[in-house]
Amino acid sequence: MMLIAGTVPVTDMPLTFGRVEREGKNLRVDGYSLPCTQGTMAMVSAALATTSYLGLEPPRVLLAGDIGTGKGSRLIYQYLIEHIEELAPRVLALHYCLPIVTLMQKLYTAVEKYHPRAVLIADAGSMYAAKAAGVAPHFDIFTPDPSEIAFLADPEAVHPAYISRHLFEDAFARVPDLIKRAYANGGAAKCLLVKGAVDYIVKDGVIVDEIKEPDIPQMECIGGTGDTITGMVTAFAYAGLDPDQAASISAKANRAAGRRANPTPATSVAEIIDQLPGIFRESLCSWSGICTR
């Protein structure tokens, strides 16, 4: 099972677990219809597009509403801590949750008890929690942007709001140096996909790929285009690809989908996700050796 866990900005949505299905422009989970917008649902939508193309079981998702109070985030952490053995996911991807350090430490301890251990992926608040909890090196994949890699590189910061100024300044131009610092300071996962004007794929501290083309600056204005990468990474990891290969393919596919969508700042992330099956048909075989269609 591939399990994606994260909050959604819906005030009254309780803790919800189930398979995700596409329903027009929305996603349906256990009776709830949610838009494929930025955040957790953009990630889930891209993961579903990828598993559908590959003929894999669709993602299971664990969701809860949270508008910043932390209530939904706590429900997600606690459910995973208590039920990880029976869930037994092959891949566990943690996304938008408030970075509650003690609960992340408990969740990591629970995950480590059971074998085979899940492939662990984190982005956004869950990535911050993993770093602050001191368990980042035990995660398989992080997908930070340049400002987030500055946070991962700072041995003192417990949240991106508290990054040392000297690390934050010119972060976009200093990504390779910040990657080295993140590994040296124990703030990085085994594999990093640093998303930006250049996408850096890093394995055990070594940059193994740099993806620069096609360059689609308009995508920077569209919320959710980083979340789509994380969703694809999760799906390709579930398909059995090594983390660095999953990361490289996802970065390439995201850029190619953006070019095909011919976006403007008004383009929705769902329009970019809709391009993914065509991109996979054209290029996935040459990128990965997955030649199913």
Side-chain angles (χ1 to χ4, degrees):
M1 176 177 65
M2 176 176 69
L3 177 57
I4 298 173
T7 62
V8 293
V10 179
T11 306
D12 57 351
M13 185 174 178
L15 187 70
T16 302
F17 174 77
R19 285 182 198 270
V20 63
E21 299 175 343
R22 186 72 182 263
E23 182 182 66
K25 294 183 178 181
N26 289 352
L27 297 177
R28 178 166 288 276
V29 182
D30 194 29
Y32 286 88
S33 183
L34 299 162
C36 309
T37 52
Q38 67 190 67
T40 300
M41 297 318 293
M43 175 185 174
V44 171
S45 184
L48 178 61
T50 307
T51 55
S52 296
Y53 179 82
L54 297 174
L56 299 174
E57 179 185 18
R60 301 285 183 90
V61 296
L62 180 65
L63 307 173
D66 197 327
I67 56 171
T69 65
K71 180 180 178 181
S73 298
R74 289 180 181 277
L75 289 173
I76 288 172
Y77 282 120
Q78 200 62 49
Y79 186 89
L80 289 172
I81 291 165
E82 294 175 1
H83 297 279
I84 196 69
E85 181 181 12
E86 64 194 72
L87 292 170
R90 280 174 42 202
V91 177
L92 174 60
L94 306 171
H95 207 238
Y96 277 93
C97 285
L98 286 183
I100 304 171
V101 172
T102 55
L103 291 179
M104 176 57 78
Q105 290 170 333
K106 290 180 180 178
L107 174 56
Y108 171 72
T109 299
V111 169
E112 281 296 302
K113 287 181 180 178
Y114 304 107
H115 298 278
R117 199 205 74 168
V119 174
L120 289 176
I121 299 170
D123 191 18
S126 296
M127 179 173 64
Y128 311 159
K131 187 263 187 179
V135 298
H138 303 288
F139 273 66
D140 296 284
I141 309 173
F142 282 173
T143 55
D145 62 24
S147 62
E148 290 170 330
I149 193 64
F151 161 66
L152 298 178
D154 189 333
E156 304 299 328
V158 296
H159 188 277
Y162 304 110
I163 302 170
S164 289
R165 184 174 177 181
H166 79 281
L167 290 174
F168 184 75
E169 290 176 343
D170 300 322
F172 285 77
R174 300 173 54 223
V175 169
D177 176 60
L178 292 171
I179 289 169
K180 291 179 182 178
R181 287 173 177 255
Y183 278 95
N185 294 327
K190 298 168 189 173
C191 175
L192 297 178
L193 194 174
V194 186
K195 305 170 288 193
V198 177
D199 296 319
Y200 292 92
I201 314 301
V202 189
K203 181 178 181 180
D204 297 327
V206 178
I207 296 173
V208 295
D209 201 0
E210 297 181 25
I211 300 163
K212 304 176 183 179
E213 300 294 337
D215 183 20
I216 315 292
Q218 299 91 325
M219 289 180 70
E220 296 296 323
C221 305
I222 302 169
T225 52
D227 303 316
T228 54
I229 292 179
T230 310
M232 285 187 279
V233 167
T234 303
F236 283 123
Y238 182 58
L241 275 64
D242 290 338
D244 56 311
Q245 187 181 21
S248 180
I249 294 167
S250 300
K252 291 174 182 176
N254 209 53
R255 288 172 179 264
R259 178 173 59 185
R260 177 170 288 191
N262 192 25
T264 71
T267 300
S268 72
V269 70
E271 294 174 69
I272 294 173
I273 294 169
D274 286 342
Q275 309 305 316
L276 290 176
I279 297 301
F280 294 151
R281 280 192 295 272
E282 289 181 2
S283 302
L284 187 57
C285 182
S286 61
W287 287 340
S288 69
I290 298 175
C291 306
T292 59
R293 299 190 183 188

